[in-house]
Amino acid sequence: MKGPREQIVYLPCIYRNTEVLKPDYLATVDVDPKSANYCQVIHRLPMPNLRDELHHSGWNACSSCFGDVSKTRNRLILPSLISSRIYVVDVGTNPRAPQLHKMVEPVDLFWKCNLANPHTSHCLGNGQIMISCLGDPSGNGKGGFVLLDGDTFEVVGNWEQPNEAAPFGYDFWYQPRHNVMISTEWGAPKALADGFNPTHVQEGHYGSSIHVWDWTTHSKLQTINLGEEGAIPLEVRFLHDPNATEGYVGCALQSNVFRFYKTPEGQWAAEKVINVPNKKVEGWKLPEMPGLITDILISLDDRFLYFSNWLHGDIRQYDITDRKNPRLVGQVFLGGSIVSDGPVRVLEDPENQPQPRPRIIQGRRVSGGPQMLQLSLDGRRLYVTTSLFSSWDKQFYPDLIKDGSVMMQIDVNSVSGGLTLNEKFLVDFGKEPGGPVLAHELRYPGGDCTSDIWV
């Protein structure tokens, strides 16, 4: 909480499914209000291939390596969700102008691990890098994990034991003091790659479970089926306290947050603690619109939980000091599908909220809805981007493809709660030199709320 203020941010920028046939790139954005380049992209590192779909990123070293003087946080790990390449970027030589260090080819994942579609990467205390995967090389669901050597970045092999991969994969978080790791599920890559089809949920192509793993033996201990209310459990977050035996997972389809916890008997369980009710609508693809919780994070002091409703268009802040009973203390609307001047009319809303006005910042209308989140170390600034996944962007927010995404900043009341848009902050990725682009996850060079695990 007392770390230095962020000065630059790294974001992957995606051209797949847009009208621009150019490689994805890593953008470096200046977020220092004292800088002459404030709110500007100061560097762009293009990848050497087309249609990778850069998505999330991680580090070669983080807080789990604390005390190991041989480890330095100087490489950003950039998995490609569609091409299955993994890029390793040198951010240590010149943090404001990263350069490509190494490229891991898809065939290494295919042949050595029988895995594909890498997503979340975390560094491990032993120096290796662990990356969750969504599927096998044929596009079927398969929730396994790839290990990279922390020095050479060569594929070492699978983390999980043989034949113990989960049916689907997505995110994961580990808690070494309790010898446990929790992983989540999205869906089969060949089902989700070109857009969302609701019938695929009924056909079993999307997940609804979280998995509990023994951190030492790499064996799967439990599968907790969250049921229909927990369909498509995405981002998972343990509390940052390394002694904690609980955390939260955001379940997209029914817009619920589940708390998972260790029982007195030593097993793990989950309970629903937050629900964002669907809104009955007309003028949309379905008669009811879910909020679609797509990203969650927990402040470093474990006091507040934040999540984005990509379709409804709001970000919510909950006080979680009572872990079983989160309390809504902040909310702000930033675009979304139910804006008052749009084609969708809300017929019934259990929360009785008026349809929000469109969000316009410095003359720029926000296309899409709030999606990826990153909180400053002191908990006072929340950064937001608006792209989810290029094919889903194209399906649900065609204007986002045309206009490009934006990066916004929310001022946070970290004492009693409250969210307010900073009208003076805007990074418009619709004005990029190569054409409008889709910016996704955010990373600080020194680590952040969603990359670092304490041991």
Side-chain angles (χ1 to χ4, degrees):
M1 296 292 289
K2 296 181 180 179
R5 178 175 175 136
E6 63 284 356
Q7 295 185 327
I8 57 174
V9 174
Y10 300 127
L11 305 93
C13 293
I14 296 92
Y15 274 128
R16 180 176 171 266
N17 276 309
T18 73
E19 297 177 357
V20 179
L21 189 62
K22 292 184 178 180
D24 298 348
Y25 59 92
L26 180 69
T28 305
V29 175
D30 190 321
V31 294
D32 181 0
K34 298 178 181 179
S35 170
N37 297 315
Y38 183 54
C39 291
Q40 294 181 29
V41 178
I42 59 174
H43 187 265
R44 300 168 184 86
L45 173 64
M47 300 301 112
N49 299 283
L50 296 172
R51 301 188 179 95
D52 278 318
E53 188 91 34
L54 299 180
H55 198 63
H56 285 205
S57 62
W59 296 105
N60 67 313
C62 65
S63 298
S64 65
C65 302
F66 181 76
D68 186 344
V69 296
S70 69
K71 301 300 179 185
T72 303
R73 192 196 306 259
N74 59 4
R75 300 289 186 265
L76 186 69
I77 312 301
L78 268 177
S80 303
L81 194 57
I82 295 300
S83 73
S84 296
R85 293 185 182 91
I86 299 171
Y87 296 104
V88 181
V89 178
D90 177 1
V91 296
T93 302
N94 185 351
R96 302 178 74 85
Q99 298 299 318
L100 188 61
H101 174 73
K102 184 182 177 68
M103 179 173 65
V104 179
E105 291 287 1
V107 69
D108 291 332
L109 277 67
F110 297 168
W111 291 358
K112 293 182 180 180
C113 304
N114 193 30
L115 291 172
N117 312 102
H119 186 270
T120 298
S121 55
H122 281 301
C123 62
L124 307 185
N126 65 3
Q128 292 181 322
I129 297 154
M130 180 170 164
I131 306 176
S132 60
C133 291
L134 272 61
D136 66 16
S138 298
N140 304 301
K142 186 178 182 182
F145 306 87
V146 170
L147 288 174
L148 300 185
D149 183 276
D151 296 318
T152 66
F153 304 102
E154 295 290 329
V155 174
V156 175
N158 297 71
W159 176 85
E160 75 279 4
Q161 294 291 343
N163 303 314
E164 287 203 359
F168 303 100
Y170 186 73
D171 196 20
F172 72 100
W173 198 282
Y174 62 91
Q175 201 76 320
R177 293 189 187 180
H178 299 284
N179 193 37
V180 69
M181 186 264 281
I182 305 285
S183 69
T184 64
E185 302 183 329
W186 186 4
K190 62 184 179 183
L192 60 85
D194 295 320
F196 177 69
N197 184 340
T199 62
H200 286 162
V201 178
Q202 303 304 321
E203 293 170 356
H205 297 305
Y206 285 88
S208 59
S209 297
I210 60 174
H211 304 277
V212 182
W213 304 77
D214 185 300
W215 187 239
T216 302
T217 66
H218 307 179
S219 296
K220 188 166 57 175
L221 301 176
Q222 275 183 261
T223 293
I224 304 173
N225 190 336
L226 303 178
E228 187 175 328
E229 290 188 319
I232 312 184
L234 296 180
E235 310 294 343
V236 61
R237 309 283 183 243
F238 262 102
L239 297 180
H240 295 289
D241 178 358
N243 289 314
T245 55
E246 59 187 326
Y248 301 89
V249 58
C251 301
L253 196 57
Q254 296 295 328
S255 304
N256 293 314
V257 174
F258 278 73
R259 168 182 170 261
F260 59 87
Y261 58 97
K262 190 174 184 179
T263 68
E265 295 75 29
Q267 294 292 99
W268 291 80
E271 60 181 352
K272 186 178 72 173
V273 293
I274 300 173
N275 168 248
V276 178
N278 291 355
K279 301 178 190 293
K280 291 185 178 180
V281 296
E282 65 178 9
W284 196 61
K285 304 174 188 297
L286 297 170
E288 290 194 7
M289 181 188 294
L292 206 74
I293 296 174
T294 50
D295 194 20
I296 70 170
L297 63 77
I298 297 174
S299 60
L300 285 178
D301 60 1
D302 289 334
R303 184 178 173 194
F304 293 107
L305 171 75
Y306 300 84
F307 65 76
S308 54
N309 286 309
W310 190 59
L311 291 178
H312 287 178
D314 60 314
I315 295 173
R316 301 191 181 202
Q317 176 192 26
Y318 285 80
D319 184 322
I320 56 169
T321 50
D322 181 349
R323 309 300 188 198
K324 298 180 181 180
N325 298 286
R327 181 170 56 91
L328 181 65
V329 293
Q331 183 181 26
V332 61
F333 279 88
L334 303 167
S337 295
I338 57 169
V339 289
S340 57
D341 66 347
V344 177
R345 181 181 171 219
V346 177
L347 304 178
E348 185 178 326
D349 180 4
E351 294 182 317
N352 293 316
Q353 293 183 328
Q355 291 187 233
R357 296 178 180 177
R359 182 64 74 172
I360 299 174
I361 309 172
Q362 300 175 23
R364 167 67 147 91
R365 181 180 178 121
V366 175
S367 302
Q371 212 287 98
M372 293 309 299
L373 307 174
Q374 193 54 262
L375 188 66
S376 60
L377 300 184
D378 63 8
R380 296 177 182 177
R381 293 168 300 284
L382 185 68
Y383 294 93
V384 188
T385 57
T386 51
S387 168
L388 171 59
F389 175 56
S390 67
S391 59
W392 291 32
D393 293 347
K394 187 175 182 179
Q395 178 180 4
F396 290 100
Y397 290 115
D399 285 347
L400 187 57
I401 301 296
K402 176 174 60 73
D403 300 337
S405 62
V406 297
M407 175 179 166
M408 299 168 280
Q409 185 191 83
I410 309 301
D411 292 328
V412 177
N413 182 330
S414 59
V415 178
S416 58
L419 303 175
T420 307
L421 177 68
N422 179 356
E423 302 276 0
K424 296 180 180 180
F425 185 100
L426 177 70
V427 183
D428 185 354
F429 288 95
K431 294 181 177 179
E432 283 295 270
V437 72
L438 304 169
H440 194 63
E441 193 189 40
L442 308 105
R443 283 275 174 255
Y444 306 141
D448 48 57
C449 292
T450 57
S451 66
D452 282 48
I453 295 174
W454 282 264
V455 298

